[in-house]
Amino acid sequence: MRNPADRTDTTRAHSARVYDYILGGEDHYPVDAEAGDAMCRHWPALPVHMRENRRFMHRAGHYLADEKGIRQFLDIGAGLPTSPNLHEIVQGVAPESRVIYVDNDPTVLAHAEAPLNGSPEGATAYIDADMRDPDTITGSPRFRELLDLDEPVGLMVIGIMHFIRPPEDQPLVQRLLEPLPSGSYLAMTIGTGDFAPEEVGRVAEEYERQNMPMVLRDLATATSFFDGLELVEPGVTQVHKWRPGAGQQDVDDRDIAMYGAVAYKP
């Protein structure tokens, strides 16, 4: 098997590494920094937007672990490690929690070779797979070893759907949900141009120029991803408005281009 680092293309920007760069991480290349700088020139609020998307993941993961008792999680398109990671959030609530991270970016997978600082009571693993091939995820030995499908699972699909084009987008989410038992939850964020269409549209064009086609969705389309599920209050809303915690910073709606929601699988 090839080392994941050997598959890394340092001549083209990658969404996970651009995200890492804009969030202030260190796991990127000059091409990613150049792409990130270009996107921020188009929309200076992009770092605010990305941070709030990350904070939604923190709150949703904590909510599922703390209030709903979820003890196993499947994080699709996990991206590069940025502390606190999902396992740190949920194991902080329940140390026995198990988390599977899924990604197919070689830079992300190179990090998977290093020991993860999870709790000794719980478990954390990576699966090298693309969301567009759900069978590879659900058929993985690690999926079968770590997840007990007699117990509910928290499916996290954060900050990735804007890179999945119709008509394969909604069927992919349904195929990931299908093997999960009743009582599971879907936490998801979905990119939109509803609040700053010109600026976000320019960012989408920049992603396209960088060979990372992006799809933006309106509220009705974002909500349709949760058809057949029971939305948790406050439903589908901008990520910074989903159950904000104490000390939540004031954020201009025009600076957020992501809807988010958590929903229950009956």
Side-chain angles (χ1 to χ4, degrees):
M1 181 181 293
R2 295 177 62 190
N3 187 312
D6 295 337
R7 292 159 39 195
T8 303
D9 184 352
T10 62
T11 67
R12 295 174 58 180
H14 188 281
S15 59
R17 300 193 307 260
V18 172
Y19 188 70
D20 174 77
Y21 169 71
I22 292 175
L23 287 177
E26 299 179 352
D27 298 302
H28 53 265
Y29 297 97
V31 66
D32 306 303
E34 292 169 7
D37 288 340
M39 293 170 190
C40 289
R41 285 194 296 271
H42 292 306
W43 190 35
L46 186 57
V48 175
H49 157 83
M50 288 186 170
R51 285 194 296 269
E52 291 302 324
N53 180 66
R54 186 78 180 171
R55 287 171 180 154
F56 169 89
M57 184 274 287
H58 293 162
R59 295 196 303 277
H62 189 279
Y63 167 81
L64 292 177
D66 185 42
E67 298 192 35
K68 297 303 176 183
I70 301 299
R71 297 294 180 261
Q72 45 188 5
F73 293 82
L74 180 63
D75 187 358
I76 305 295
L80 286 157
T82 304
S83 187
N85 296 292
L86 178 62
H87 71 276
E88 295 172 285
I89 296 293
V90 300
Q91 289 178 356
V93 175
E96 70 273 21
S97 297
R98 302 183 300 280
V99 179
I100 294 179
Y101 293 110
V102 178
D103 211 298
N104 70 332
D105 174 50
T107 306
V108 174
L109 296 170
H111 283 269
E113 296 179 349
L116 293 168
N117 295 319
S119 67
E121 301 93 334
T124 308
Y126 275 86
I127 295 175
D128 180 359
D130 192 317
M131 181 183 181
R132 296 175 181 84
D133 186 8
D135 293 341
T136 299
I137 299 171
T138 57
S140 164
R142 289 187 173 181
F143 180 92
R144 296 192 297 269
E145 290 166 6
L146 256 68
L147 299 188
D148 177 0
L149 295 184
D150 290 328
E151 298 294 332
V153 176
L155 174 62
M156 315 292 285
V157 185
I158 307 296
I160 190 173
M161 289 310 300
H162 46 280
F163 297 118
I164 308 293
R165 291 183 177 274
E168 64 177 338
D169 49 358
Q170 296 199 17
L172 286 176
V173 176
Q174 293 302 317
R175 286 175 64 190
L176 288 166
L177 277 168
E178 185 176 359
L180 306 185
S182 173
S184 295
Y185 285 84
L186 169 65
M188 188 173 178
T189 64
I190 302 150
T192 183
D194 285 357
F195 301 93
E198 293 184 9
E199 296 90 337
V200 176
R202 290 196 295 268
V203 172
E205 290 171 1
E206 186 64 38
Y207 269 101
E208 186 87 36
R209 281 192 289 270
Q210 300 287 345
N211 296 305
M212 295 178 283
M214 175 182 272
V215 180
L216 300 171
R217 296 171 171 91
D218 61 17
L219 178 59
T221 305
T223 302
S224 68
F225 280 98
F226 301 93
D227 288 350
L229 306 177
E230 298 175 7
L231 284 164
V232 171
E233 290 294 332
V236 181
T237 186
Q238 283 177 286
V239 289
H240 65 298
K241 295 181 176 180
W242 193 88
R243 294 178 175 255
Q248 171 79 19
Q249 299 176 351
D250 290 334
V251 177
D252 191 324
D253 289 356
R254 294 170 296 181
D255 292 347
I256 304 299
M258 199 78 81
Y259 287 118
V262 174
Y264 172 84
K265 179 180 177 180

